[in-house]
Amino acid sequence: MTFHNLSAEQGDPSAKGSGNAATDKFKHEAVKSDTSPERAFAIYQDVFKAIEDIAHKHQVTYDEYRVLKNWLIQVGEYGEWPLWLDVFVEHEIEKVNYERKGYTGTKGSIEGPYYVENSPKLEWNAEMPMRDKDREATPLIFSGQVTDVDGNGLGGATVELWHADEDGYYSQFAPGIPEWNLRGTIVTNENGEYSIKTLQPAPYQIPTDGPTGWFIASYEGHPWRPAHLHLRVKHPGYREITTQLYFRGGDWVDNDVATAVKPELILDPQQDDNGNNTVNYSFALDKED
Ligand code: DHB
Ligand code: FE
């Protein structure tokens, strides 16, 4: 499966490169919703009421309207819809859906544009696929347990982990990185435990040379997300969790451009005698409803 794999290409990462790779990946996902015409009409009316209110409140000019139209066209041409939407919209959708169901298990967070399914299966105590270059970064040993909400271990659960490298780039979405670098599907042992060796990721910068970057520059914002691990945790009969974990005290933890940090999702790694960062974090899964 290499349709969005840029790893054979060389050159610097660009907004067009990562945007188009993310768009290409998303276009291969099945998307459908059973929204009724009544619900579609209600949402449509509220969206256009909000646009009407904004146009009046801010007395939007014709020049501004034309700039917006041009920008929307460019977002599509750069393939940046997955980037822009997952930074500025996804966090609110995620929150609404968690709150509606009354879950008590581990909190979710946004998926972002760079998840890829079917990453290599790894034992419960394994090392993530990585290059020699990645071994120069600070090692991170991430261990814990997948449990139900009463704390019973769930053996055979899968923990999909994906994250950026020390330069802030994701495999399959930036050039020159092996296909499955820093992506793996860990299977928990009979007690639900895992212990994974990876590297300490770096903060991630939204590409600044495309329309998402221009958008942020237009209001003099910053394009940074704090360093994070992405996780998807599954076990039959339980609600699947898609979440992210952050690092206490790290840059941008208090000011994430994607507004996706939650206090419960901040890790406190400790350094061991061998210079590894070590951290324990467990996931509690709600029963499927
Ligand atoms: C984006 C990138 C991420 O790595 C992430 O976790 C969320 C959003 C983005 O570029 O849109
Ligand atoms: Fe990310």
Side-chain angles (χ1 to χ4, degrees):
M1 191 187 67
T2 54
F3 59 85
H4 56 272
N5 178 17
L6 300 179
S7 60
E9 293 172 26
Q10 293 302 323
D12 291 335
S14 65
K16 256 197 168 133
S18 49
N20 280 315
T23 294
D24 212 21
K25 188 209 73 156
F26 187 75
K27 280 161 75 176
H28 286 79
E29 290 177 17
V31 285
K32 68 173 169 44
S33 148
D34 56 5
T35 310
S36 68
E38 294 73 24
R39 180 172 160 79
F41 185 68
I43 293 174
Y44 148 80
Q45 277 194 312
D46 280 358
V47 168
F48 285 87
K49 178 76 174 69
I51 292 173
E52 220 175 276
D53 289 349
I54 291 164
H56 284 273
K57 178 175 172 190
H58 296 282
Q59 293 288 297
V60 174
T61 67
Y62 241 99
D63 283 347
E64 286 167 340
Y65 171 69
R66 291 170 61 79
V67 166
L68 172 67
K69 191 164 160 182
N70 179 276
W71 178 80
L72 289 166
I73 292 168
Q74 305 258 22
V75 177
E77 286 184 353
Y78 274 69
E80 279 204 5
W81 279 120
L83 276 65
W84 190 86
L85 286 166
D86 291 354
V87 167
F88 292 102
V89 180
E90 189 184 358
H91 60 94
E92 218 49 46
I93 308 293
E94 190 281 319
K95 213 185 310 167
V96 164
N97 282 278
Y98 185 91
E99 286 166 4
R100 182 180 55 215
K101 299 282 177 68
Y103 295 133
T104 58
T106 302
K107 292 226 159 148
S109 185
I110 65 173
E111 175 179 319
Y114 301 142
Y115 169 72
V116 183
E117 61 183 3
N118 296 325
S119 63
K121 276 264 167 72
L122 303 173
E123 297 285 320
W124 74 277
N125 58 349
E127 182 175 288
M128 289 283 274
M130 65 172 87
R131 301 160 291 182
D132 287 347
K133 164 187 182 349
D134 298 309
R135 284 176 221 285
E136 291 162 20
T138 304
L140 174 70
I141 300 174
F142 175 72
S143 23
Q145 193 184 19
V146 179
T147 70
D148 65 15
V149 289
D150 299 317
N152 302 303
L154 296 173
T158 56
V159 178
E160 291 176 81
L161 173 63
W162 72 103
H163 64 85
D165 65 13
E166 214 195 8
D167 300 321
Y169 296 122
Y170 286 83
S171 60
Q172 303 193 37
F173 297 90
I177 306 177
E179 190 173 18
W180 295 107
N181 207 58
L182 301 174
R183 296 177 181 275
T185 301
I186 300 100
V187 183
T188 62
N189 70 9
E190 66 275 16
N191 301 320
E193 294 159 328
Y194 52 84
S195 180
I196 306 152
K197 185 165 182 186
T198 187
L199 64 87
Q200 184 69 42
Y204 168 84
Q205 187 181 29
I206 309 293
T208 52
D209 60 331
T212 304
W214 311 334
F215 174 84
I216 293 166
S218 74
Y219 61 87
E220 297 184 338
H222 75 74
W224 290 95
R225 298 214 61 223
H228 55 277
L229 303 174
H230 286 272
L231 297 123
R232 177 166 289 182
V233 184
K234 297 185 202 181
H235 189 281
Y238 293 85
R239 183 182 75 93
E240 177 181 319
I241 300 177
T242 299
T243 195
Q244 301 192 13
L245 295 171
Y246 305 92
F247 300 90
R248 191 171 312 284
D251 290 342
W252 316 110
V253 170
D254 299 326
N255 190 12
D256 173 13
V257 64
T259 335
V261 178
K262 298 180 186 181
E264 302 86 341
L265 301 176
I266 302 176
L267 301 171
D268 268 311
Q270 307 293 318
Q271 234 186 26
D272 73 9
D273 295 341
N274 303 319
N276 301 311
N277 281 351
T278 64
V279 71
N280 203 279
Y281 190 89
S282 292
F283 298 94
L285 302 190
D286 289 282
K287 271 272 189 209
E288 206 158 62
D289 44 25

